[in-house]
Amino acid sequence: MNITELTVHELQEKLKNKELTISEITKAYVDRINEKEKDVQAFVTTLTEEATKQSEEIEEKINSGEIKGEFAGIPIGIKDNMCTKGVKTTCSSKMLENFIAPYDATAVKKINEENIINLGKLNMDEFAMGGSTEHSYFHKTYNPWNLNKVPGGSSGGSAAAVAANMVPWALGSDTGGSIRQPASFCGVVGLKPTYGLVSRYGLVAFASSLDQIGPITKDVRDSAMLLNIITGHDEMDTTSANIEKKDYTKALKKDVKGMKIGVPKEFYGEGVQPEVEEKIKAALEEYKKLGAEIVEISLDVAEYSLATYYIIACAEASSNLGRFDGVRYTHRAKDYNGLWDLYKKSRSEAFGDEVKRRIILGTYVLSSGYYDAYYKKAQQVRTLVMNKFNEAFGKCDVIITPTSPTTAFDIGGKLNDPLSMYKADICTVSVNITGLPGISVPCGVDNDGMPIGMQIIGNRFEEEKILNAAYAYEQVEKFRENHKPTFKK
Amino acid sequence: MSREDYEAVIGLEVHAELSTKTKIFCSCANEFGGEPNTNICPVCTAMPGALPVLNEKVVEYAVKAGLATNCSISKDSKNDRKNYFYPDTPKAYQISQYDKPLCENGHVEIETSDGNKKVIRIERIHIEDDAGKLNHDDFGGESLVDLNRAGVPLIETVSKPDMRSAEEAEQYLRKLKSIFEYIEVSDCKMQEGSLRADVNVSVRKKGDPLGTRTEMKNMNSFRSIVRAINYEIERQIDLIEDGRTGRARKLKVG
Amino acid sequence: MQVSKEQILHIANLARLNLKEDEVEEYLKNLDEILNFANIINNAPTEDLGITIGSNEEKNVFRKDEVKIFEDRDALLENAPSKENNMFKVPKII
């Protein structure tokens, strides 16, 4: 039995049947990290020793009956922008290179309460700004399907670690596609929940009105299970939805008979890699066979969404990143002449190129003279995009698009062209602008064997519908049985 | 021209610290003056990832203050960020209210020493967070930041420029103070800074449009306010008489 | 060019960033490209549309006025690059 290839629900089964012990599971993952991390470099901080010790403690407590819990002893990896008390939380930035979080993010707290074991903090684009994980201050992360390609981003470490079987599942965060796009590039399942479903308390803010934490998993059932763990109203986050907690695994019925699937023509065609479109069209055929109805819809707001997204996200970021000033936590420049100089030197030294670029754009669109033309207009366009999606959901239950117009690109391929990097987010950003839930599920591979992702978008708080739709397709496609990462160079 | 031909135009922005049990956006005790950095948490020290949650009492107290000063209470109100870098402002923005304050269009009535009554209009009352405290009394050429006061709730009451003398400004401030004390939203201890005022003064020839104004910030005693206003009026009249108009200037007092 | 060199230096100053000469050139070019692209929002039919600040409708979310002490106060000062008497130390402000 290859332990690290198992999903979490399979691990649970084996634990229940006493075919496996908790310490065996952790050991298998520690061994796997020791074997593969040098090639993939998904982690900023590994906690293999702590995890090993913790697994033994948890095993003992379970054996003595002190604790129960269906997830006790299951390992996880956490994106390095979620605060973990006593553990470094860097956001992959020099700014927080040595920052030890003084508290746990709510999502992390929920993970800890289940006695889930943290194997480490996962690499990302600095402050979650980017789509390739090349903007990490520490190192790049490499795509397990082809080590010359990016894993996507910003949750590239999370997606690559799951794909490489170095963690069974992981937490990511998604501001403009940062869970779904790397999940697509790495052939795993990534879910961005409805804005407000998961507490953002302790998630280092990039763009507060867009950020959401969500699961990156091997399959759809694991996604539903991890969502069960991290959801719930949190009084520390005023945008946290005060709704009843659900069991999302109950939604996985495989039955999509009569489900209306909206296909917006604007998300296909020009700019979309032919194999991506082909595979998604083939998936739509599968849905038809399963009894779903395909409805052609129009959502002529993709480009507006993208422009609006970059204006709003950068504006919010420029304000959110003001607190990194070298006073209460590092980085602080070594030599400075007065307070002004301390601020400017510390921030200039410790923020990377992409972060500075976005702070400048954000400061520009918020500055007097440009506020109305850009920021205010973008907020109006946001209303327009929301109205269009509302209309669309009058005609269908879910919307299907590619997650990304292309499969994973080469490392360095877009690094010198920020605008083309931004444009790659065209399919994902509307979901953040509108606050809707979206899931990316693997949908075959391209001619080079790189995974393709299909995005299923749902209406507000209708995670059950998109999980069920994703699950139904997953059972037919059997991606994990047919395709495996090769770690080729 | 004689000095009687001139009149002063005075407006006040009054900050009152609310006497809630906790800070405006976190559950830390609303107390300061004790050991530095004891009433702090991830929210008021602006740790990465921390989020503000508004104290319901702050809204209640601000609404009370609005009702007691004849304001209309907005049904649709929101908070806004005012971005600036300063070590006493850990988030690098103050959370205040810009276009949708809680209370608007109020007034209070004052009585001057000659027995006349006068209405002073209030433009708005909004809620915001106080900054921390910088201690400069260190010999090493450095300042030390204490965040116990960071996040203490404030209401800012902005008057219309309806006052014409230092005496009227004093009476207006005394009136606000007695209202806020009576409805128990603030202890209004001026010497401790829980009630403080920014004073805007300009001088014009009677009947002329508004002149260039001077803002004197953070004044926290009646005596200093009266003296500063009278001095400023004289100074501006002298400037006009000399043929120079008053240059806008900002004074930070205290 | 939509943005001048003077403007970008002003913006960088507002954001408390120093830009090196080559960075000024690069960011100018990037900012120009991105703003040119972003200008498409001017074509969006937004007459009579209000603004959207956030995507959820939670309103009147308040906290009770009850003191909760954050236990690990020391941890809040542990990351400080410079401190004295339990306070964060910064250059003297005049």
Side-chain angles (χ1 to χ4, degrees):
Chain A
M1 170 171 39
N2 193 339
I3 296 172
T4 61
E5 281 192 6
L6 301 174
T7 62
V8 172
H9 59 87
E10 286 162 351
L11 287 172
Q12 283 179 316
E13 198 66 26
K14 306 264 181 224
L15 279 170
K16 212 167 112 193
N17 301 337
K18 314 261 182 224
E19 289 172 61
L20 268 178
T21 66
I22 284 165
S23 51
E24 278 168 356
I25 294 173
T26 301
K27 186 176 181 308
Y29 276 102
V30 170
D31 290 347
R32 182 71 177 177
I33 290 169
N34 289 336
E35 181 197 342
K36 287 293 176 203
E37 175 61 1
K38 60 181 188 308
D39 288 336
V40 179
Q41 300 191 35
F43 288 87
V44 174
T45 304
T46 48
L47 299 168
T48 48
E49 276 176 40
E50 294 85 341
T52 304
K53 201 165 150 257
Q54 213 185 336
S55 73
E56 287 156 8
E57 286 165 11
I58 289 171
E59 193 161 72
E60 218 163 277
K61 282 185 186 166
I62 286 183
N63 290 342
S64 70
E66 196 181 320
I67 56 167
K68 278 200 183 76
E70 47 178 335
F71 299 107
I74 301 285
I76 198 167
I78 296 172
K79 188 177 181 181
D80 209 16
N81 60 350
M82 287 169 233
C83 285
T84 43
K85 190 175 173 177
V87 174
K88 271 202 276 185
T89 299
T90 70
C91 292
S92 288
S93 179
K94 181 182 169 74
M95 187 57 92
L96 292 174
E97 190 171 4
N98 300 303
F99 179 72
I100 310 277
Y103 71 106
D104 277 324
T106 299
V108 171
K109 213 167 138 191
K110 287 175 182 286
I111 294 288
N112 292 341
E113 281 165 2
E114 294 288 344
N115 291 299
I116 292 173
I117 298 170
N118 183 7
L119 280 169
K121 301 297 290 288
L122 295 160
N123 200 20
M124 54 189 277
D125 286 296
E126 184 180 0
F127 285 103
M129 296 176 183
S132 67
T133 315
E134 293 168 288
H135 297 296
S136 165
Y137 168 66
F138 302 108
H139 51 76
K140 295 182 177 72
T141 293
Y142 301 86
N143 192 318
W145 296 75
N146 178 340
L147 297 171
N148 294 312
K149 304 240 180 216
V150 302
S154 66
S155 310
S158 299
V162 173
N165 295 332
M166 292 195 286
V167 298
W169 56 7
L171 287 183
S173 73
D174 190 316
T175 305
S178 282
I179 286 175
R180 290 159 288 153
Q181 183 254 29
S184 156
F185 282 12
C186 292
V188 293
V189 176
L191 170 66
K192 188 216 82 104
T194 305
Y195 185 81
L197 189 63
V198 180
S199 168
R200 291 179 296 113
Y201 190 71
L203 170 70
V204 181
F206 161 14
S208 315
S209 79
L210 305 165
D211 299 339
Q212 266 294 284
I213 292 172
I216 295 180
T217 56
K218 290 181 186 183
D219 73 358
V220 177
R221 180 168 293 281
D222 278 5
S223 185
M225 292 196 306
L226 189 46
L227 189 63
N228 281 350
I229 296 170
I230 60 177
T231 48
H233 179 245
D234 181 15
E235 54 186 33
M236 299 301 279
D237 173 4
T238 52
T239 62
S240 163
N242 200 348
I243 54 171
E244 215 180 309
K245 219 167 137 64
K246 291 177 186 165
D247 178 358
Y248 293 97
T249 60
K250 287 193 176 146
L252 311 180
K253 292 182 185 124
K254 261 197 268 190
D255 181 9
V256 293
K257 251 187 219 96
M259 180 184 260
K260 284 185 183 161
I261 298 175
V263 180
K265 53 182 186 293
E266 293 85 358
F267 285 74
Y268 296 82
E270 200 197 318
V272 179
Q273 187 181 325
E275 300 117 285
V276 171
E277 180 150 351
E278 218 172 86
K279 288 282 154 63
I280 290 176
K281 292 269 161 80
L284 293 173
E285 288 305 313
E286 293 296 338
Y287 276 115
K288 268 195 210 162
K289 283 186 209 156
L290 292 169
E293 188 188 331
I294 307 297
V295 190
E296 207 173 282
I297 59 169
S298 172
L299 274 172
D300 53 347
V301 287
E303 285 219 308
Y304 293 151
S305 282
L306 189 62
T308 294
Y309 168 78
Y310 275 97
I311 292 167
I312 290 174
C314 293
E316 293 185 17
S318 72
S319 172
N320 283 333
L321 269 59
R323 66 183 58 191
F324 301 100
D325 60 2
V327 174
R328 295 164 320 286
Y329 26 85
T330 49
H331 170 77
R332 182 185 284 201
K334 275 207 173 64
D335 303 305
Y336 46 84
N337 184 11
L339 180 69
W340 225 239
D341 201 35
L342 182 157
Y343 282 157
K344 291 181 105 179
K345 275 205 181 119
S346 304
R347 288 167 62 80
S348 306
E349 285 174 13
F351 284 141
D353 196 44
E354 181 60 25
V355 173
K356 282 191 253 190
R357 182 163 22 249
R358 295 199 194 194
I359 290 176
I360 287 172
L361 176 62
T363 309
Y364 181 85
V365 298
L366 287 178
S367 67
S368 58
Y370 301 96
Y371 185 92
D372 283 358
Y374 289 106
Y375 187 61
K376 195 174 164 219
K377 178 77 182 181
Q379 289 179 310
Q380 284 180 298
V381 177
R382 192 169 182 180
T383 309
L384 176 75
V385 176
M386 290 178 89
N387 291 348
K388 292 278 179 183
F389 271 84
N390 275 339
E391 273 171 42
F393 279 112
K395 297 181 195 124
C396 58
D397 298 302
V398 300
I399 293 170
I400 287 184
T401 75
T403 304
S404 171
T406 67
T407 55
F409 45 87
D410 290 341
I411 285 173
K414 294 189 177 179
L415 210 45
N416 296 319
D417 188 356
L419 187 58
S420 94
M421 188 85 97
Y422 295 178
K423 283 187 170 170
D425 297 339
I426 186 103
C427 299
T428 46
V429 293
S430 309
V431 169
N432 302 80
I433 289 287
T434 52
L436 299 170
I439 191 169
S440 178
V441 275
C443 179
V445 296
D446 71 5
N447 296 341
D448 296 325
M450 295 306 289
I452 291 165
M454 172 169 72
Q455 174 173 244
I456 310 172
I457 304 168
N459 209 344
R460 293 171 60 72
F461 299 114
E462 292 191 350
E463 275 75 5
E464 287 148 305
K465 278 192 191 167
I466 59 173
L467 281 163
N468 183 39
Y471 184 70
Y473 176 68
E474 183 186 61
Q475 303 309 304
V476 179
E477 156 77 3
K478 300 192 186 329
F479 180 84
R480 292 182 62 244
E481 284 171 36
N482 299 324
H483 308 283
K484 284 193 175 32
T486 57
F487 299 92
K488 71 175 176 198
K489 283 182 189 154
Chain B
M1 225 160 64
S2 91
R3 286 182 126 61
E4 275 70 57
D5 296 326
Y6 290 95
E7 70 172 0
V9 177
I10 302 163
L12 261 62
E13 291 160 23
V14 179
H15 290 90
E17 282 171 357
L18 299 180
S19 47
T20 51
K21 290 195 198 80
T22 64
K23 292 184 177 181
I24 181 166
F25 294 118
C26 62
S27 301
C28 288
N30 175 11
E31 282 164 21
F32 53 92
E35 285 294 301
N37 289 321
T38 44
N39 294 320
I40 57 169
C41 75
V43 177
C44 57
T45 55
M47 287 295 137
L51 300 170
V53 184
L54 183 55
N55 180 347
E56 63 179 7
K57 277 283 174 214
V58 170
V59 178
E60 187 188 313
Y61 282 17
V63 167
K64 253 187 180 173
L67 292 173
T69 53
N70 307 295
C71 287
S72 53
I73 309 301
S74 313
K75 289 230 162 69
D76 176 22
S77 181
K78 70 171 171 65
N79 291 103
D80 298 284
R81 295 178 179 185
K82 194 169 156 189
N83 296 294
Y84 65 97
F85 288 87
Y86 208 64
D88 65 5
T89 306
K91 301 183 298 299
Y93 52 84
Q94 182 187 35
I95 304 181
S96 182
Q97 298 193 286
Y98 176 63
D99 57 344
K100 291 182 173 180
L102 263 178
C103 318
E104 284 177 292
N105 301 325
H107 65 267
V108 295
E109 198 177 69
I110 59 166
E111 197 172 323
T112 47
S113 54
D114 50 17
N116 289 330
K117 291 202 161 108
K118 183 172 179 180
V119 169
I120 308 295
R121 293 170 300 159
I122 288 169
E123 189 175 301
R124 58 190 279 159
I125 301 178
H126 65 252
I127 55 173
E128 58 188 26
D129 55 354
D130 208 346
K133 197 169 179 303
L134 294 171
N135 296 305
H136 305 291
D137 49 3
D138 174 62
F139 296 106
E142 271 144 340
S143 296
L144 299 173
V145 188
D146 171 14
L147 296 176
N148 282 343
R149 200 180 62 186
V152 163
L154 295 174
I155 50 173
E156 179 176 339
T157 307
V158 182
S159 80
K160 292 277 188 189
D162 284 352
M163 289 149 275
R164 293 291 173 269
S165 68
E167 193 206 349
E168 287 183 11
E170 182 185 348
Q171 290 311 320
Y172 166 72
L173 188 57
R174 284 196 189 278
K175 185 78 181 202
L176 272 193
K177 182 172 183 285
S178 76
I179 291 171
F180 292 165
E181 281 169 349
Y182 184 74
I183 61 173
E184 297 181 321
V185 298
S186 173
D187 63 14
C188 295
K189 287 182 183 155
M190 294 185 77
Q191 68 284 3
E192 287 171 24
S194 66
L195 187 77
R196 47 194 200 255
D198 299 345
V199 182
N200 292 298
V201 180
S202 67
V203 168
R204 64 179 172 192
K205 283 179 197 153
K206 283 179 185 160
D208 276 7
L210 285 177
T212 314
R213 69 176 200 187
T214 300
E215 187 182 24
M216 296 171 282
K217 289 184 91 74
N218 272 329
M219 320 259 322
N220 62 356
S221 82
F222 290 110
R223 218 167 65 120
S224 63
I225 289 169
V226 169
R227 271 170 47 187
I229 291 174
N230 283 331
Y231 174 82
E232 190 55 31
I233 293 171
E234 293 302 313
R235 191 186 70 88
Q236 289 191 26
I237 292 175
D238 287 346
L239 285 176
I240 299 170
E241 290 280 299
D242 287 355
R244 296 176 288 158
T245 49
R247 269 215 325 269
R249 58 176 196 156
K250 272 194 178 181
L251 295 182
K252 196 170 178 178
V253 183
Chain C
M1 278 286 186
Q2 194 171 335
V3 187
S4 70
K5 190 173 164 181
E6 205 177 29
Q7 268 179 311
I8 205 164
L9 289 172
H10 170 66
I11 293 295
N13 189 48
L14 284 179
R16 300 292 176 270
L17 292 171
N18 290 323
L19 296 186
K20 295 187 206 97
E21 196 56 38
D22 56 328
E23 286 178 318
V24 173
E25 294 303 318
E26 193 200 327
Y27 289 143
L28 260 182
K29 187 173 147 272
N30 298 154
L31 190 58
D32 224 56
E33 274 176 13
I34 295 161
L35 290 174
N36 275 333
F37 168 69
N39 282 334
I40 60 160
I41 62 169
N42 291 320
N43 307 332
T46 57
E47 299 81 37
D48 309 322
L49 288 183
I51 61 164
T52 296
I53 297 166
S55 57
N56 73 354
E57 289 124 24
E58 303 289 329
K59 285 191 174 79
N60 293 337
V61 184
F62 301 124
R63 172 177 60 76
K64 291 248 176 289
D65 188 25
E66 288 162 5
V67 176
K68 279 183 209 152
I69 292 167
F70 181 74
E71 296 296 342
D72 207 355
R73 285 187 301 235
D74 292 344
L76 297 173
L77 278 110
E78 243 151 52
N79 290 292
S82 178
K83 58 184 168 181
E84 193 178 306
N85 298 334
N86 214 39
M87 286 181 276
F88 303 101
K89 195 147 96 174
V90 294
K92 189 148 195 136
I93 300 144
I94 307 122

